[in-house]
Amino acid sequence: MAEQSPRRRVRILADITPLRTSADYRRLWIGNTISWTGQAMTALAISLQVYEITGSSFSVGLVGLFSLVPLVAFGLYGGAIADTVDRRKLGLYASTGMCALSFALAAAALADWHRVGFLYAIVALQALCQAIVSPARTSMIPRLLPPEQLPAANALGSMTTTSGLMAGPMLGGLVVGAWGFQAAYLIDMVAFTAALYAMWRLPSMKPDRTADSRKRASVLDGLRFLATRPNLRMTFFTDLCAMVLAHPRAVLPAVAVVWFHGDATTTGLLVGALAVGALLGGVFSGWLGQVHRHGLAIVLAVAGWGGFIAAFGLTRELWLGMLFLALAGASDTVSMVFRSTMLQAATPDEMRGRLQGVFIVVVAGGPRLGDFLAGSVADLTSPTAAITGGGLACMVAVGLLALRWRRFVRYDARAPEA
């Protein structure tokens, strides 16, 4: 009787193989995790400082606008720059700029110089630096790791983002309350040294340009490339289905009061449930590396997001609503991991920066459009129609996209095709 081959053990917890096998990636991940938490801490501190100066919630809301516009406007150009120059140097310069901006915030606070216009300008410059450093940093990962480790690396990256967004504001509130705004800004400045050190230790990361490539990468060339790659386009279309049609954040303050008879704390629990679900999706992501049908996984994850959001719109029990939101957050992590992996694996190195620039624009702009749509529908009809209707619309839209572009559903990571 022939001896049977041992069954492959299914991994449950996050796969940390990229951290073990690549010292460069390990330093980059640690530096990014520390600096991302510092950025989130500074973002809250700036909002608190603007409110202390003005006493206006509208003025605080403008902080987000001053951050969003440069990020969207320069995201594509940051990607084009990353496809032209040494990405290591570009990341190093942009990270140095962000560190200097944190120092400027701290110096102004120590000098007791409080100007709202100054804070808005700093926020806009921070977003500009972020639009430059993000495509460069993300484009480096496929050069540091083999293709089979990219899902694990992207899952680890999702944990960095989510944990930073959860821990950063909490630390920011504690630090500002105990030692003032200048302490938060100084801590952020020190945190950036971890990212600077990681970038400094990297080898040269010049893009792999073909012999007939232009000297300077063009944004239009990147968009033309995307227009001829249906699988890559679908990674953006599916994300827009989730973030534009089924993004409930703008309606959560209303449903916290109307459905759950709560207050701002209840809103915080609902928002936190999404974040906790996303973080757990990263923590228990070990199985993702064994999935090869990335297109199908994205479609199912986005449909799952829509379904859980629709279910949330029908429940009136707080614990059950938080459970549905957590499941939606976990689905979003699965979608993000495979979308990022497809972009990295199916895009030639000379185009990776520009495609990551498009990714930034979609990720930054999609949820804002979703907030506007959900808020408008809720005002015109009801929160239930906005949330449940949006979730169902997301499921229908992603299903129609899958039927229209069936090659995307058949995409196999073992033979990546853009």
Side-chain angles (χ1 to χ4, degrees):
M1 184 175 178
E3 185 177 326
Q4 294 183 347
S5 59
R7 302 180 71 179
R8 188 175 182 181
R9 184 168 59 91
V10 177
R11 183 189 297 270
I12 300 299
L13 294 178
D15 183 2
I16 61 171
T17 302
L19 298 176
R20 293 200 306 263
T21 59
S22 172
D24 287 328
Y25 175 79
R26 182 169 61 250
R27 285 189 292 266
L28 193 65
W29 184 81
I30 293 173
N32 191 32
T33 300
I34 295 172
S35 64
W36 188 263
T37 302
Q39 285 178 265
M41 182 174 65
T42 289
L44 178 73
I46 289 176
S47 296
L48 292 174
Q49 190 173 5
V50 168
Y51 187 77
E52 182 177 278
I53 295 170
T54 65
S56 166
S57 296
F58 175 76
S59 298
V60 176
L62 286 178
V63 173
L65 183 63
F66 276 97
S67 175
L68 174 64
V69 171
L71 196 60
V72 172
F74 291 97
L76 296 176
Y77 292 99
I81 297 171
D83 284 340
T84 303
V85 302
D86 187 336
R87 290 163 180 162
R88 169 189 172 271
K89 290 182 178 179
L90 182 63
L92 193 60
Y93 295 153
S95 297
T96 301
M98 297 183 80
C99 185
L101 291 171
S102 294
F103 175 78
L105 285 169
L110 287 168
D112 203 27
W113 193 67
H114 305 292
R115 298 291 186 274
V116 174
F118 169 75
L119 296 176
Y120 288 158
I122 292 292
V123 166
L125 290 172
Q126 286 177 330
L128 177 60
C129 290
Q130 188 65 37
I132 293 174
V133 73
S134 290
R137 183 167 51 209
T138 310
S139 301
M140 294 175 185
I141 295 176
R143 300 274 292 271
L144 300 176
L145 299 170
E148 63 271 14
Q149 292 184 20
L150 292 180
N154 288 313
L156 291 169
S158 75
M159 293 171 60
T160 290
T161 303
T162 308
S163 61
L165 291 176
M166 290 174 64
M170 180 182 66
L171 291 173
L174 293 173
V175 170
V176 170
W179 300 293
F181 301 109
Q182 64 273 11
Y185 301 142
L186 286 170
I187 291 174
D188 186 26
M189 184 185 72
V190 173
F192 264 113
T193 60
L196 288 171
Y197 175 74
M199 290 285 184
W200 179 68
R201 288 291 304 273
L202 287 173
S204 175
M205 287 280 177
K206 293 182 180 179
D208 292 333
R209 309 295 301 277
T210 57
D212 58 347
S213 294
R214 297 180 181 179
K215 184 176 181 181
R216 181 167 294 278
S218 165
V219 172
L220 290 178
D221 285 344
L223 294 177
R224 291 189 191 102
F225 172 82
L226 184 60
T228 62
R229 301 300 189 271
N231 284 338
L232 295 182
R233 287 201 310 272
M234 274 287 287
T235 64
F236 298 116
F237 291 160
T238 52
D239 187 49
L240 289 173
C241 286
M243 294 298 102
V244 176
L245 297 177
H247 199 253
R249 182 177 57 189
V251 192
L252 293 182
V255 304
V257 175
V258 176
W259 293 356
F260 305 120
H261 310 291
D263 51 17
T265 301
T266 308
T267 304
L269 290 174
L270 295 174
V271 175
L274 277 167
V276 169
L279 179 60
L280 291 177
V283 171
F284 296 100
S285 63
W287 59 277
L288 298 182
Q290 300 175 31
V291 176
H292 302 296
R293 297 283 296 279
H294 290 183
L296 178 61
I298 291 170
V299 169
L300 294 176
V302 172
W305 164 275
F308 291 128
I309 294 299
F312 167 72
L314 297 175
T315 185
R316 298 299 180 267
E317 293 289 340
L318 179 60
W319 69 269
L320 188 58
M322 292 174 62
L323 175 61
F324 284 134
L325 289 176
L327 291 171
S331 298
D332 186 49
T333 293
V334 173
S335 168
M336 187 281 299
V337 167
F338 288 126
R339 285 186 291 109
S340 298
T341 301
M342 284 184 66
L343 277 178
Q344 293 165 343
T347 305
D349 187 68
E350 64 176 323
M351 287 287 179
R352 281 185 182 135
R354 279 165 284 185
L355 269 293
Q356 290 299 328
V358 176
F359 184 85
I360 289 173
V361 172
V362 170
V363 169
R368 272 70 178 188
L369 290 175
D371 287 342
F372 174 76
L373 180 61
S376 300
V377 173
D379 281 345
L380 292 173
T381 56
S382 68
T384 301
I387 296 175
T388 298
L392 294 176
C394 169
M395 296 176 70
V396 171
V398 77
L400 292 174
L401 286 173
L403 289 174
R404 172 63 181 81
W405 283 284
R406 298 186 182 185
R407 280 179 52 199
F408 180 75
V409 179
R410 295 193 296 267
Y411 177 93
D412 194 318
R414 290 166 293 192
E417 182 182 0

